[in-house]
Amino acid sequence: MNLIRLIFLTFVLAMGTFNFAHAQLRIDITEGNLDPVPIAVVDFSSDRQDGQALGVEISEIIRADLERSGLFVSISPDKFQTTQTDLNYKPTFADWRVIKAEALLLGRVVIESPTRIRVEARLWDISSGEELAGIVFGTTPNQERRVAHKISDAIYEKLTGETGYFDSRIVFVSESGSKIEREKRLAIMDQDGANMMYLDTGRGMVLTPRFSPSSQRITYLSYESGKGHIYVYDIETGRRELLGNFPDMTFAPRFSPDGQSMILSLMRKGNSDLYAMDLSSRSTKRLTTSPAIDVSGSYSPDGEKIVFNSDRGGTPQLYVMNADGSSAKRISFGKGRYNSPVWSPRGDKIAFVKSRDGKFSIGVMNIDGSGERILAESYMYDVPTWSPNGRVIMFYQETRGEYGTSSLWSVDLTGRNLRKVSTPLGASDPAWSPLLP
Amino acid sequence: MKFGWPISLIFHSLILISVWISLSKKTDVEMSQAIYVELASIDELTNIRASIKKPDPIPIEPEQPMTVENPMENAPEEGDPETPERTSPETSPNLTPENMDQPDSTSKTEEKPFDLDSFSAVVDNTRKTQPKAGQQRTLASEQNFIFYSSVSQAAVGAGTSLSLNEIDALKSKMYECWREPVDAKNPEELAVQVRVKMRSDGHVQSVSLNEPRKVARSQNPHMEVAARRAVNAVKDCGPYDFLPIEKYSSWQDMVLSFIPTV
Amino acid sequence: MKTKTIILAGAALFFAACSSTPEPEPVQAPVQTAPIPAPVQTAPTPAPVQNTSPVTGPIIQGPLPGSLDDFHFVSGGQGRVFFALDKHDLSSGARESLKRQAQWLQTYQGVTAVIEGNADERGTREYNLALAARRAESVKSFLVSLGVSPSRLTTVSYGKERPIDPRSNEEGWARNRNAHTNLMSGSIG
């Protein structure tokens, strides 16, 4: 046996020498396409009729999720060639290659009891015949949307390398009425617009809700007290609470990444400065002291830095400082005014609103201000919010004029795939939740 | 270049032999690079209670007869896999200690229905455990990892390298098939080298990662996807019949570096 | 918006009541003062109309002294002063108007006011809240400098949330960049 191994080693060596002698051709491929991945999502099967309906619904939600991301194109089930869609057998890959599918999702729904279903799915890579993921969820039958979103997240992660964002929610301000008589209510919905419901925030106008990155709590600005103040609302319990006891206006709240503290702007004698507040002790620490406007603070995901909006240089621009308020440094230097910065949960980008010549755009830049990129432009865009994976930015648009309305939009970090997010009424100030547990 | 032909002949037989050895002994690295098998992954839920069965210990399969799916015509002189003493489990003491250490799992070569229960049992472990060699081999066969001895007959030794136009043609072909990582974090880390061996008719003979360890060790969550996309791109884009046959020696063995634009 | 209207109407009734009868007679008051639209012809003209007369002695056609209409009539601009784009400093016109507001407020010492800062829609929400707050503060500090007790004045910023003109043009935006002195009830001095 040792002899064989020796021979083998010799061969390997010989191969190496041989290759070297022939100066193996090396080519750099630097241009690839960015086309969406064609994926075939087969209707989930089931032994039972009610299970089948559920299966079809789940498959449709998954297709819609993937399509909406812009990174996938779902192949129409009419084109499917194969009848072998049993989850427990290897797919006939050739049938899927014919229709140019690159990934395949098979699944089934098992009704275990009237209150219990099990959803199983397998994700296949058609080119290699590799099984990329096997997924099993047990749940109650009314949770099918979440199960579908969870499966979409698993697919997204396997095929892009990035965590998904489909099992998440959006809190926003639902708007109705004309521009000068507008009514605003806080509402929450799934990331895809389903399951919208209003949150009871009491009387008074509400603005700028923000999600805690670590819990099901939101914070927002309310005029319930007459003057604007920050409130914290627990979505699970419905409990709301005035944050702190400030005679002056508090606004522009955002949670720290650990959800334990908050950054906010406090208005004193017409001058707004940034403060950090510990949520358990309610102690505050002043972070900026300039006589200029300092608003819209947003923490980096490691909690070390804060990006904020200030006009200390004459026009509103973006600044980054340490979390203790030291060494503020301007990072935006393009032409125009910069506002509403939000640090990406991935840490590498800052989203902002830029306005110039009567146009508003949503853009991203690196955290040192380099690499500015405009993703979308319109008359009025504002309040960008990141998807939990830092790949998508949602924001709102207000259209011009007397009959102007507000609506939610999302765009990919690359500037592709600008889409309207449908809401029953007007909508503004979106805030994306973290991935649900 | 007089020696090209004999060298090629020797070389190819060496490949065949080494591949054969590696197939039967699982010592090869080259083959196992190409394909990963990750059976499954599972997401834990808190709100939705996952009904995954308690992971049973992964059943270790009993010693199975060694079978090879695509026995090659000119199989090397090394022990015949079909010999009776090797197929019967009783004779396993005859096997080398190496084989004893690694229970063989070639029984998986046959496509059998997946058993969900056992599937559930292994899902939890798949993230940590590397794919087994036996599983890789299963898929390798499906991938048509066949070595054609006929290749050596092709015109070898012309020695001329590809022209810029020909390289551009290859690059534009790859553009169609290679999906770049879109805005991944730290894209500069995601360059992937793929080793491609071609048949003289432009069909892909084998594709594998040139630096599998670099890929495996990468901390970048996009690396696995980047590597798969690069390998798939080469595989799916064939045949490369536009490459000139007279220059076969220059393109029969290539390393393509897929470098995402930052 | 509804609440605001109620407050306004309430304030109007209240002041009217105060001026007509020294001792509050809230029941009777509304009947008299209900015709708010009455001063429509005169009030909208922001031009400096005889700025001293309403304070010193009521004019026959003018609104009831001490009423909200009276305040608007005296100060002009419906109690609003306007700002240039992105600015919070007071123009000379705004100062004139605020001087009249101050005089009126000095006459009716029992009245308190909330100064509401507003911005046009061409700014981001949070920044505009800060900008509009500055405008409100500009007005407050100017009124204080003219002798109005700071304890009678509070400020609130509505950012761009309370436009008075729905149009998205220069005229509409100019009207929406303002600070509004909103009279509230208070003890009558």
Side-chain angles (χ1 to χ4, degrees), chain A residues 25-198:
Chain A
L25 182 61
R26 288 174 174 264
I27 297 174
D28 286 353
I29 310 291
T30 54
E31 298 285 328
N33 66 70
L34 300 167
D35 300 342
V37 178
I39 182 169
V41 177
V42 177
D43 280 341
F44 284 26
S45 62
S46 181
D47 298 340
R48 289 173 46 164
Q49 205 126 49
D50 46 352
Q52 270 166 22
L54 219 47
V56 170
E57 189 191 347
I58 287 172
S59 308
E60 273 164 11
I61 295 166
I62 295 171
R63 285 183 203 120
D65 276 345
L66 297 175
E67 283 264 355
R68 220 173 31 253
S69 77
L71 299 180
F72 302 91
V73 51
S74 164
I75 298 173
S76 164
D78 315 340
K79 300 213 173 98
F80 296 173
Q81 305 280 310
T82 187
T83 47
Q84 201 303 90
T85 54
D86 191 317
L87 180 70
N88 291 335
Y89 290 84
K90 241 185 194 181
T92 321
F93 295 111
D95 289 345
W96 298 105
R97 282 190 197 110
V98 169
I99 60 167
K100 303 233 179 322
E102 291 185 21
L104 167 68
L105 185 77
L106 297 178
R108 73 169 175 190
V109 177
V110 180
I111 311 252
E112 293 179 324
S113 76
T115 57
R116 199 84 200 133
I117 60 168
R118 193 172 77 232
V119 182
E120 303 159 347
R122 284 176 200 282
L123 178 67
W124 294 92
D125 182 59
I126 300 297
S127 181
S128 64
E130 226 181 314
E131 181 178 349
L132 297 177
I135 304 151
V136 187
F137 289 120
T139 182
T140 50
N142 58 359
Q143 290 275 25
E144 79 282 359
R145 294 197 73 88
R146 283 203 61 200
V147 169
H149 292 317
K150 288 260 178 222
I151 295 172
S152 302
D153 280 333
I155 296 169
Y156 186 96
E157 180 164 359
K158 269 296 159 193
L159 296 182
T160 68
E162 198 104 49
T163 333
Y165 59 86
F166 300 114
D167 189 28
S168 60
R169 295 199 277 183
I170 310 286
V171 63
F172 64 102
V173 173
S174 175
E175 301 194 346
S176 54
S178 75
K179 234 176 191 173
I180 55 170
E181 291 278 327
R182 195 155 281 183
E183 225 174 291
K184 302 197 175 207
R185 296 177 69 186
L186 219 52
I188 191 167
M189 64 186 181
D190 293 352
Q191 148 281 137
D192 59 355
N195 295 327
M196 193 198 99
M197 59 178 196
Y198 290 105

Side-chain angles (χ1 to χ4, degrees), chain A residues 167-239:
Chain A
D167 189 28
S168 60
R169 295 199 277 183
I170 310 286
V171 63
F172 64 102
V173 173
S174 175
E175 301 194 346
S176 54
S178 75
K179 234 176 191 173
I180 55 170
E181 291 278 327
R182 195 155 281 183
E183 225 174 291
K184 302 197 175 207
R185 296 177 69 186
L186 219 52
I188 191 167
M189 64 186 181
D190 293 352
Q191 148 281 137
D192 59 355
N195 295 327
M196 193 198 99
M197 59 178 196
Y198 290 105
L199 301 176
D200 176 19
T201 52
R203 293 155 45 95
M205 180 169 65
V206 286
L207 299 172
T208 62
R210 300 284 174 184
F211 245 106
S212 161
S214 60
S215 67
Q216 290 297 307
R217 284 192 302 173
I218 54 168
T219 180
Y220 59 94
L221 169 63
S222 165
Y223 284 81
E224 184 167 11
S225 62
K227 210 160 191 147
H229 281 121
I230 293 171
Y231 287 73
V232 173
Y233 185 102
D234 188 313
I235 295 172
E236 268 153 23
T237 62
R239 211 170 68 99

Side-chain angles (χ1 to χ4, degrees), chain A residues 315-358:
Chain A
T315 56
Q317 299 291 339
L318 308 186
Y319 292 77
V320 169
M321 64 181 176
N322 295 328
D324 63 0
S326 63
S327 351
K329 220 178 106 202
R330 180 169 163 183
I331 61 162
S332 62
F333 291 99
K335 280 188 184 146
R337 304 147 51 98
Y338 291 79
N339 295 98
S340 306
V342 198
W343 211 302
S344 152
R346 214 165 73 169
D348 58 337
K349 303 271 182 210
I350 288 166
F352 56 84
V353 174
K354 183 178 182 177
S355 55
R356 196 187 160 195
D357 305 332

